[in-house]
Every structure is written in C-alpha cells, then in structure tokens.
C-alpha cells in the first residue's frame, strides 16, 4: 500500500515568507543600507537645487547648502528675467503634438508589421533597429540643409518655426516608438482578433476597438519617450528655433549663458527655473507610472 504524505504546514503566511526569503537578493539589513545610500545619492542634488532656489545668490556662491533666509521671490522674478513662459508654452505644444502623433503612427505601423506578411517586412524591422544607432549630431547639418532647400523651393519659412521642431523630433522618435509597439503587440493573443473577424469586424475596427485599448502601456511608453526627446533637446532646438519659438531648454541655456562672468550670477533664479521646467516631466511620470511599468517590461518574457 502506498501512503500519501501530506505536509503539516498549511499554505499561507509561512509559505509567502519562505518565498520572499528565497527571492531576496540581499539580507534585509544590507538591503536597507543599499536603499538608503541610493536615496541619498539621488535626493541630495535635488534637495540642493530646491534649497538654492529659495536662497540668496551670495549664499549659494559661498557654498551654503541650507538657506539662511527664504527668498521665495526667485520664483516670481524668473518669469520676467527669463522668457520662461514662452519657452514652456512652445515645449508643451511641440512635444505634446509629437507624443500624440508618434504614438498613433507607432501603434498603427506596428500592427501592420506584426499582423501582416509582405515583401520588405523584415527589411523595415531591421531598419528600425539600424536607425537607433545613428547619432543625432550627425543628422543636424543634413536636416538643416534639407529644411533650407525645402524653404527655398516651396517659398515657405520652415526653420525658426514650431513645425520644424515637430518634424525633426517626430523623425527621430518614430523608429524607437514603433519598435516598442512591435514588441508589445507580439505579446497580444491573436485569438481576440480572429474572433472579431469571425463576427465581421474590419481591420480598422479591430485596431481601434481591440488592439489600441489593450496596448495602452506600450502606447504610453512610446508617447512619453517622444515627449522627453523633444523636452530635453538642446542641439536641434538651438538651430531650428527663433526667439519666438524657443523651447524651455533653450530659454534656460540662454539665461545661463548671460550669467557667465561679471557679478554674482542669479543662482537662485537659475535653480528656480530648472525646477519649474522639471515639473511637467515629474507629473507625467507620476500620472502614467502604472502604464510605464507594464509597457517597459512588455516583450521581456517570450
């Protein structure tokens, strides 16, 4: 007779604790120390910028970390000292448009590349990866010459407008965003689309009613990448913009350049302007954090 041995330990908290002990890479005391060190390394520069933005310029120049007295007027003066309002408006408009258009084009292009077989499909996929290896610095002069030639031929002013930045950022963001969506859509089950086709749904209806609602994490990652590409850019924005179409990054660059040499720079206002420009990105990450985790890990397990 064969006896069946059952474990006397009931499933529940002990099992969960055992699994946690197995999966933990470091002992708990050492893990706490590592996390504390990482937090110090990350938060110290942020706290320094925050304290310097409400400190006097002389105290910052002397190396003071904590402000002796609060100078909250730095956040008021910055709007008249630097053309920050125009820069933020241009950045939000251009980068927001790039993010929206890039996400829509990426998901539709990736759907065609993943679900349909046609001649040149593999070539397109390889080209998407190859385009990521080209530095943007090498493309500055060709893009500038191309826009100048197009302006001369068509008689339309391109350089110095928001449209020039929009086309430039979209060109560089679209390949990566498309590849992100290709990786994400490969993980979606085909059975959902096949069931919809049996019910008579067209490809467009499947894309808009099934694929896009299930692909929000990948779409958000693509959109945020495109947004940050334009928000952090200084190279192309310094060449493609005029004083009326400057982005926030260029406004900060111009303000910092004017503070070099001479009297004590306006450190407090510089730090305040930097924090103001960082707020939209931080809010963007906080709002879409749960989508970013799913989108960045899509395609990691096959």
């Amino acid at each position: 007779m064969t006896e069946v041995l059952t474990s006397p330990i009931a499933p529940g908290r002990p099992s969960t604790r055992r699994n946690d002990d197995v999966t933990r890479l470091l002992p708990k005391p050492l893990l706490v120390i590592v996390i504390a060190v990482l937090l110090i390394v990350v938060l110290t520069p942020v706290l320094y910028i925050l304290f310097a933005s409400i400190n006097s310029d002389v105290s910052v120049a002397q190396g003071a970390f904590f402000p002796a007295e609060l100078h909250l007027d730095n956040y008021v003066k910055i709007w008249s000292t630097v053309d920050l309002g125009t820069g933020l408006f241009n950045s939000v408009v251009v980068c927001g448009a790039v993010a929206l258009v890039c996400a829509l084009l990426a998901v539709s292009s990736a759907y065609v590349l993943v679900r349909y077989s046609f001649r040149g499909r593999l070539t397109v996929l390889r080209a998407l990866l190859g385009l990521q290896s080209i530095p943007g610095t090498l493309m500055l002069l060709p893009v500038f010459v191309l826009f100048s030639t197009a302006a001369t031929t068509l008689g339309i002013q391109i350089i110095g407008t928001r449209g020039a930045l929009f086309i430039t950022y979209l060109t560089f963001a679209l390949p990566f965003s498309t590849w992100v969506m290709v990786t994400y859509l490969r993980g979606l089950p085909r059975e959902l689309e096949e069931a919809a086709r049996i019910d008579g749904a067209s490809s467009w209806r499947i894309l808009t009613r099934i694929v896009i609602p299930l692909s929000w994490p990948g779409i958000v990652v693509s959109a945020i990448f495109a947004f940050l590409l334009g928000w952090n850019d200084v190279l192309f924005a310094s060449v493609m913009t005029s004083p009326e179409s400057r982005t926030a990054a260029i406004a900060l660059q111009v303000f910092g350049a004017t503070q070099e040499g001479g009297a004590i720079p306006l450190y407090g206002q510089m730090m305040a302007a930097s924090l103001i420009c960082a707020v939209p990105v931080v809010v963007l990450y906080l709002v879409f954090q749960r989508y970013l985790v799913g989108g960045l890990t899509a395609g990691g397990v096959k």
Side-chain angles (χ1 to χ4, degrees):
M1 179 179 296
T2 304
E3 296 182 358
V4 179
L5 300 178
T6 58
S7 176
I9 301 176
R13 185 175 301 175
S15 177
T16 304
R17 183 176 181 180
R18 189 182 302 111
N19 292 333
D20 292 339
D21 292 336
V22 172
T23 56
R24 183 179 294 129
L25 298 178
L26 297 174
K28 189 173 182 179
L30 184 59
L31 185 63
V32 172
I33 295 175
V34 171
I35 294 176
V37 171
L38 291 177
L39 287 176
I40 293 174
V41 171
V42 173
L43 294 180
T44 299
V46 177
L47 290 177
Y48 177 78
I49 296 175
L50 177 61
F51 291 148
S53 66
I54 56 178
N55 202 352
S56 63
D57 300 329
V58 177
S59 298
V60 176
Q62 292 175 349
F65 187 85
F66 296 100
E69 55 183 4
L70 298 181
H71 289 264
L72 299 177
D73 56 337
N74 289 330
Y75 287 91
V76 179
K77 295 178 180 178
I78 193 64
W79 300 103
S80 57
T81 306
V82 187
D83 194 10
L84 195 59
T86 303
L88 287 173
F89 176 79
N90 291 329
S91 293
V92 171
V93 170
V94 174
C95 298
V98 171
L100 179 62
V101 175
C102 186
L104 294 177
L105 291 179
V107 67
S108 56
S109 302
Y111 178 73
V112 173
L113 292 171
V114 172
R115 292 295 188 251
Y116 295 91
S117 298
F118 54 90
R119 182 176 298 178
R121 173 176 170 271
L122 293 178
T123 303
V124 174
L125 291 174
R126 290 166 183 156
L128 291 176
L129 288 177
L131 289 173
Q132 303 305 312
S133 61
I134 301 177
T137 308
L138 298 180
M139 300 300 296
L140 179 61
L141 183 58
V143 170
F144 182 83
V145 173
L146 180 63
F147 285 170
S148 300
T149 305
T152 304
T153 304
L154 302 176
I156 301 175
Q157 181 64 29
I158 299 178
I159 297 177
T161 62
R162 301 189 190 100
L165 286 180
F166 172 80
I167 297 173
T168 302
Y169 295 154
L170 184 63
T171 302
F172 288 99
L174 191 57
F176 178 82
S177 298
T178 304
W179 187 256
V180 169
M181 292 309 305
V182 166
T183 307
Y184 191 89
L185 293 182
R186 282 174 176 172
L188 293 182
R190 292 177 177 266
E191 290 77 8
L192 296 175
E193 302 174 27
E194 294 173 355
R197 290 191 184 279
I198 293 176
D199 293 337
S202 61
S203 299
W204 175 254
R205 192 174 183 85
I206 292 174
L207 177 63
T208 55
R209 297 299 180 89
I210 298 178
V211 176
I212 292 180
L214 293 176
S215 304
W216 276 116
I219 293 174
V220 169
V221 170
S222 302
I224 290 180
F225 169 79
F227 185 90
L228 293 181
L229 179 68
W231 190 270
N232 298 326
D233 174 68
V234 176
L235 181 64
F236 287 92
S238 61
V239 177
M240 300 293 179
T241 59
S242 62
E244 292 76 19
S245 59
R246 278 178 185 164
T247 59
I250 300 302
L252 287 178
Q253 183 191 40
V254 172
F255 179 54
T258 58
Q259 301 300 311
E260 295 179 357
I264 298 177
L266 302 176
Y267 288 118
Q269 296 185 34
M270 292 175 63
M271 298 301 179
S274 301
L275 286 179
I276 291 174
C277 291
V279 168
V281 178
V282 175
V283 172
L284 198 65
Y285 271 104
L286 292 178
V287 172
F288 296 104
Q289 182 180 9
R290 64 190 185 96
Y291 292 105
L292 284 172
V293 175
L296 290 174
T297 57
V301 180
K302 292 295 183 183

